[in-house]
Amino acid sequence: MFTYYLNLALRSLKRNKVLTALMVVAIAVGIGASMTTLTVVHLLSGDPIPGKSSVLYFPQLDPENPARADHAEPYAMMDYRSAVDLWSAHRADRQAILTSSSVKVRAAETGRPPLMLGLLSTSADFFPMFQVPFQYGSGWSAEDDARHARVVVISHDLNDKLFGGANSVGRSLRVRDTDVRIVGVLKPWRPTPLFYDPWPQNFSKTEDVFAPFTSSMEINEGNFLPYTCWHVPEDTHHLQNADCVWVWLWAELDSPAKAAAYARFVGDYADQQKASGRFATGREHVRMRDVMTMLTARGMVPGDVRLQAWLASAFLAICLFNAVGLLLAKFLRRSGEIGVRRALGASRRAIFAQCLVEAGVIGLLGGFFGWLLTLAGLWLVRQQPVDYAHLAHLDTGMFLATFVMAIAASLLAGVIPALRASRVVPAWQLKAL
Amino acid sequence: MQIRPILAALRRHRLATLLIAMEIALACAVLCNACFLVVQRWKLIQINSGVDESALAVLTVNGFDPSQAADLNARMLTGLRTIPGMQSVTLINQVPFGTQAGAAGISHDPGSFKNTIGVVDFVLGGPGTYQALGLKLVEGRLPQADDYRPATNFAPPDAQVLVSRALADHAWPGESPLGKDFWCDKLHFRVMGVVDHLARAHPHDWGTQATEWTVFTPTLPGGSLAGTYLLRADPHDLPRVLHNARDAVAKIAPDVVLDQENSQTVSDLRTTYFESDRIMINLLLGVIVTLLGVTALGIVGLASFWVQQRRRQIGIRRAIGATRGDILRYFQIENFLIVSGGIVLGMALAFGLNLLLMQHYELPRLPVHYLPIGALTLWGLGQLAVLGPALRAAAVPPVVATRSV
């Protein structure tokens, strides 16, 4: 029966090519516009570390003292002392302390001019926690953290740039004024979005140099960025005691019970600091979110992209109304034919099914052209000088979603006209013939 | 022409009429808001930076220690000034549309953030920077030699400053800002003059009211004022001068690193800064055009269907005396009625959508005059779209009435 309806649908579509084309174009344009923007939203709000995002937690507390009246949420980062206190307590399964800055790097042996690069100061657990892939070597050990070891891990990009992609483990780099030994080289690694940094400077790049937090405090002293301060620091080059937030933590906690215990621990710490007069607020301003909750709270998707998604949805709605109107016209134009089929014994259900099959075929065609338009749209996005441009590709999920959405949209658009068509009274139509 | 028969006929096609009206309503809502967004973005792009953009460039170097700042400044100023065509080289910490250097909250009281004014950009400038920028003083006096104070922190601890008119109006509405004091934590500032315009480095990031909340702070070179240089040259000469200056850095200070992104002409920085807004404007214009196109196609499709469906009736009307003009006007008035219904609904939707956008984006209320413009556009579009099918209807010969089918 289905193939017969399909045959009928194709015949009917061929009969009025202009009307068919109008409908296909309407659906294709609506699908193309909305899928392009939805793909961008999907990419920007996807899970950056599937499988682990629910065991990685981002603790926050509020060291600001005196507290601002309008301060309902703690800063995304912490002051140095709180971060180091929490990190060195080692209460989580794994914990990483982080801060990002820029640093001058020279490779004496290559004879290249010095480069300014991003430096992520972190601790040994960072690499296993975030499943960072290594091309050569490995991360450093907790012992290296304790010894303030002069070691670094470098990015795939930097290794390409300085050493032509060769195994550079064991070679040395001059980071600011200190010689450090390379212990690891990463594979290309770019979590999307760049979730581990609560204040990403751009969407496009991770840092190029990773060094132990303890040693880089010495190596790059004076070059750390005070992200936000509530008192002007006495000495901008020494932020360890300044009233500024510039360091942050991640904790890996394998079970909800451990997570609850850790949240309690951070809350106790904040209360204790409040009691000693260092903080103005205690556990009421403590937050501990897992990766996805934190990304949602932060609002990862840029305002313009969300606006585009809104526009595209409105656009799709208009295209749907359009399709409903045109389908109605198309089905009712065939009232005579439907009347004959009904008189010959076709049930209402059969007429309804036949009309829906026709709407589905239009949806499939619209989906195909919509897919082409989506590819064109994403190509356009990639040409834009925005920092997420290189991410704009259609993955399998979104590819399937294009067709599912197109067919669903056209079926939805087809329901009312099909109902209308199935209610055609055969006698009237036969009389009119 | 009577409207009642048309309404009676429309009642027979309630569903189709409703669909077209809904489509018009949605189109009206999106159209009004999209146009409004375009105008808002356009205004943003047109911001007056207050500086002589076409004659200015910025050059930034990194990777030196604070202890080398004074020496580096001296070498850079001397070295860059020898470049032919260079009119001036002075120290600055940030230029409009470049990297933001010094944003901080200020208040009317010292040491607290209770009586706050807002977050402003501190533009630190060395001797000659005011003149090089080409700022326009509207009140007060210019900085004299002894107004330039050293800064080891992000700004001098006690300074006489110039504020932009926008900041003066915000902080001291209705009063003369001259001689007024304000604080950033413990740092004290006193207003000595007001400049007409001076945009902050990232005017976007701080809301539409605060695009020009800037404090021009005369500062002695050295300390925190080092590494960023304001170059001035004849606009035609500027690209070459900047190019030569960038090349010269390797010779003047071989050990520092040139910041490629923040060593550009101010015009180029501006273009880059507003790139995403220009894209958004083009996108919105694209949406508007496609939207109108799709809506018109819908009207054409349905009107054609109705014309074909009513061929017999049209023939009968023609046979009993209706002119071609009558038939044409019938379809035109019918379209006008449907579009009007859609517009009424659309205006409510437009305001609803605007409220939604206001919640999520910093967007003012939709001005009322957008509604009649949207309405006129859609009426025009409807008439244009229905013209083809209506002409075809008018061409139906009366003889159709005498034929069955």
Side-chain angles (χ1 to χ4, degrees):
Chain A
M1 214 54 191
F2 182 74
T3 41
Y4 173 59
Y5 291 156
L6 206 61
N7 198 356
L8 279 182
L10 289 176
R11 264 166 203 280
S12 135
L13 291 179
K14 261 186 248 159
R15 202 175 319 156
N16 194 333
K17 294 204 179 74
V18 179
L19 203 58
T20 309
L22 277 183
M23 279 187 287
V24 171
V25 165
I27 293 202
V29 169
I31 291 289
S34 52
M35 284 313 289
T36 304
T37 53
L38 284 180
T39 302
V40 174
V41 170
H42 164 77
L43 286 168
L44 292 179
S45 53
D47 188 341
I49 179 160
K52 275 202 95 171
S53 56
S54 57
V55 295
L56 295 174
Y57 289 88
F58 183 70
Q60 284 169 274
L61 43 72
D62 193 354
E64 182 159 21
N65 189 9
R68 266 184 296 138
D70 58 344
H71 205 192
E73 272 287 299
Y75 289 119
M77 299 182 181
M78 294 183 194
D79 61 301
Y80 176 83
R81 194 174 137 190
S82 309
V84 169
D85 283 350
L86 293 176
W87 173 64
S88 41
H90 286 99
R91 292 294 194 90
D93 295 320
R94 284 181 178 138
Q95 51 251 303
I97 185 167
L98 302 91
T99 189
S100 179
S101 58
S102 59
V103 74
K104 184 155 81 173
V105 174
R106 281 164 287 196
E109 11 179 344
T110 64
R112 290 177 56 106
L115 299 164
M116 286 304 286
L117 298 172
L119 164 70
L120 188 74
S121 312
T122 184
S123 54
D125 284 349
F126 174 81
F127 301 100
M129 266 175 91
F130 295 120
Q131 298 173 328
V132 187
F134 278 87
Q135 180 99 44
Y136 306 115
S138 64
W140 58 84
S141 65
E143 203 184 25
D144 288 327
D145 280 329
R147 286 193 293 119
H148 299 212
R150 299 312 197 222
V151 293
V152 291
V153 167
I154 62 172
S155 70
H156 185 264
D157 269 7
L158 183 62
N159 191 50
D160 271 358
K161 205 183 278 177
L162 293 182
F163 304 106
N167 185 350
S168 58
V169 170
R171 296 173 83 160
S172 86
L173 273 187
R174 195 161 177 80
V175 176
R176 203 172 173 199
D177 299 314
T178 311
D179 285 317
V180 297
R181 189 166 48 86
I182 298 172
V183 293
V185 176
L186 301 186
K187 283 187 181 155
W189 180 61
R190 170 63 182 83
T192 308
L194 205 58
F195 68 101
Y196 66 79
D197 188 341
W199 216 315
Q201 299 296 303
N202 56 52
F203 261 93
S204 47
K205 247 179 128 340
T206 58
E207 285 81 0
D208 278 309
V209 182
F210 302 78
F213 185 82
T214 47
S215 24
S216 68
M217 283 301 112
E218 295 157 11
I219 294 173
N220 206 23
E221 182 181 24
N223 282 344
F224 291 99
L225 212 60
Y227 283 87
T228 297
C229 303
W230 56 99
H231 284 123
V232 175
E234 296 293 330
D235 176 4
T236 39
H237 299 300
H238 195 80
L239 294 177
Q240 269 80 337
N241 298 316
D243 286 337
C244 300
V245 292
W246 58 289
V247 185
W248 67 96
L249 277 184
W250 280 95
E252 182 173 334
L253 300 153
D254 293 335
S255 69
K258 283 183 187 173
Y262 197 81
R264 220 164 25 246
F265 160 65
V266 180
D268 289 345
Y269 177 82
D271 279 349
Q272 212 180 319
Q273 297 300 313
K274 185 185 179 185
S276 75
R278 194 167 80 90
F279 286 7
T281 51
R283 66 181 343 120
E284 67 273 19
H285 271 197
V286 164
R287 304 279 182 277
M288 204 174 85
R289 301 183 166 114
D290 64 9
V291 174
M292 291 318 285
T293 323
M294 175 246 191
L295 288 179
T296 314
R298 198 208 303 180
M300 278 304 297
V301 181
D304 273 4
V305 176
R306 269 185 296 140
L307 193 61
Q308 288 165 11
W310 275 101
L311 268 179
S313 316
F315 199 75
L316 183 64
I318 290 171
C319 290
L320 272 186
F321 274 111
N322 202 335
V324 179
L326 293 176
L327 277 175
L328 195 65
K330 198 161 172 50
F331 292 162
L332 291 187
R333 183 178 286 186
R334 295 213 314 272
S335 294
E337 185 191 309
I338 293 169
V340 172
R341 284 203 62 212
R342 292 273 284 124
L344 291 179
S347 64
R348 283 192 176 166
R349 187 189 291 257
I351 301 291
F352 183 72
Q354 185 203 337
C355 289
L356 272 194
V357 168
E358 193 170 332
V361 171
I362 292 170
L364 200 64
L365 282 172
F368 175 71
F369 289 106
W371 168 62
L372 292 182
L373 282 178
T374 307
L375 289 183
L378 289 174
W379 180 82
L380 273 179
V381 172
R382 281 198 296 279
Q383 307 310 307
Q384 294 179 16
V386 287
D387 35 22
Y388 53 82
H390 67 286
L391 301 174
H393 287 279
L394 200 65
D395 54 17
T396 328
M398 290 310 264
F399 172 76
L400 292 178
T402 310
F403 284 91
V404 171
M405 196 154 143
I407 294 175
S410 60
L411 288 183
L412 195 73
V415 166
I416 298 175
L419 269 179
R420 240 3 219 307
S422 67
R423 279 209 225 112
V424 161
V425 182
W428 290 4
Q429 298 303 328
L430 293 177
K431 240 195 265 171
L433 282 175
Chain B
M1 189 64 156
Q2 281 186 340
I3 291 180
R4 285 190 56 177
I6 301 180
L7 284 176
L10 281 180
R11 221 170 294 144
R12 296 288 305 273
H13 298 277
R14 267 187 299 248
L15 188 58
T17 310
L18 194 73
L19 283 172
I20 287 288
M22 278 303 290
E23 193 181 337
I24 299 276
L26 265 175
C28 179
V30 175
L31 182 72
C32 289
N33 281 287
C35 285
F36 183 46
L37 283 169
V38 167
V39 171
Q40 288 291 315
R41 295 277 168 141
W42 183 249
K43 277 189 196 153
L44 205 63
I45 288 189
Q46 298 304 312
I47 183 179
N48 183 350
S49 68
V51 305
D52 291 342
E53 287 168 29
S54 59
L56 295 173
V58 65
L59 185 127
T60 308
V61 296
N62 293 322
F64 57 90
D65 268 5
S67 58
Q68 306 163 340
D71 173 53
L72 176 75
N73 280 341
R75 269 157 57 201
M76 290 289 284
L77 291 180
T78 330
L80 293 174
R81 278 171 184 160
T82 61
I83 293 171
M86 186 78 79
Q87 289 170 354
S88 78
V89 183
T90 52
L91 275 146
I92 198 163
N93 67 334
Q94 64 169 45
V95 295
F97 319 116
T99 305
Q100 176 180 292
I106 58 169
S107 57
H108 290 292
D109 302 318
S112 77
F113 288 106
K114 290 234 168 60
N115 203 352
T116 53
I117 297 170
V119 178
V120 303
D121 272 18
F122 280 89
V123 180
L124 309 190
T129 303
Y130 175 87
Q131 288 75 12
L133 283 173
L135 298 176
K136 205 171 128 219
L137 190 76
V138 289
E139 239 185 300
R141 65 176 181 85
L142 289 181
Q144 306 300 313
D146 60 345
D147 289 320
Y148 291 87
R149 305 281 171 83
T152 52
N153 224 313
F154 83 95
D158 185 26
Q160 301 260 343
V161 296
L162 300 167
V163 295
S164 68
R165 189 158 56 184
L167 178 60
D169 289 346
H170 166 71
W172 303 281
E175 292 175 70
S176 166
L178 296 182
K180 289 278 193 303
D181 297 304
F182 64 91
W183 278 264
C184 173
D185 196 13
K186 291 178 286 280
L187 312 180
H188 169 242
F189 304 91
R190 178 164 288 167
V191 180
M192 66 167 149
V194 179
V195 294
D196 202 13
H197 290 283
L198 176 56
R200 53 201 318 167
H202 295 170
H204 252 209
D205 296 4
W206 303 93
T208 45
Q209 301 306 311
T211 51
E212 287 187 42
W213 288 4
T214 42
V215 176
F216 182 85
T217 317
T219 311
L220 277 182
S224 44
L225 188 59
T228 305
Y229 306 93
L230 182 71
L231 317 180
R232 191 181 170 104
D234 185 82
H236 301 293
D237 234 7
L238 189 65
R240 179 192 58 80
V241 169
L242 175 65
H243 188 263
N244 291 357
R246 288 170 63 130
D247 287 347
V249 170
K251 272 174 248 134
I252 299 169
D255 208 36
V256 299
V257 185
L258 180 72
D259 182 343
Q260 305 282 355
E261 263 174 45
N262 204 31
S263 297
Q264 292 183 43
T265 64
V266 176
S267 328
D268 284 350
L269 286 174
R270 181 183 188 124
T271 310
T272 314
Y273 186 76
F274 286 120
E275 192 84 67
S276 61
D277 294 291
R278 259 194 307 281
I279 290 170
M280 199 64 192
I281 287 180
N282 288 336
L283 199 91
L284 286 168
L285 289 177
V287 165
I288 292 170
V289 169
T290 334
L291 189 74
L292 294 179
V294 169
T295 312
L297 286 184
I299 295 174
V300 171
L302 214 63
S304 306
F305 167 65
W306 278 345
V307 168
Q308 202 178 27
Q309 203 183 31
R310 296 176 191 165
R311 271 177 76 83
R312 230 176 115 84
Q313 287 89 328
I314 295 168
I316 293 170
R317 285 199 58 202
R318 291 276 283 122
I320 58 176
T323 61
R324 282 171 190 228
D326 287 334
I327 303 295
L328 187 69
R329 271 193 297 282
Y330 176 90
F331 281 97
Q332 285 173 333
I333 291 175
E334 184 185 64
N335 177 270
F336 181 81
L337 290 177
I338 297 176
V339 173
S340 301
I343 286 171
V344 170
L345 196 62
M347 288 189 175
L349 269 181
F351 266 108
L353 190 63
N354 179 237
L355 284 180
L356 203 72
L357 288 174
M358 277 166 65
Q359 264 177 23
H360 293 281
Y361 304 92
E362 205 196 326
L363 200 73
R365 186 172 289 282
L366 184 73
V368 183
H369 67 260
Y370 278 81
L371 297 179
I373 294 175
L376 278 178
T377 312
L378 286 170
W379 270 318
L381 183 81
Q383 290 303 313
L384 215 62
V386 86
L387 193 61
L391 280 175
R392 235 175 302 137
V396 171
V399 73
V400 167
T402 62
R403 294 182 194 147
S404 62
V405 186

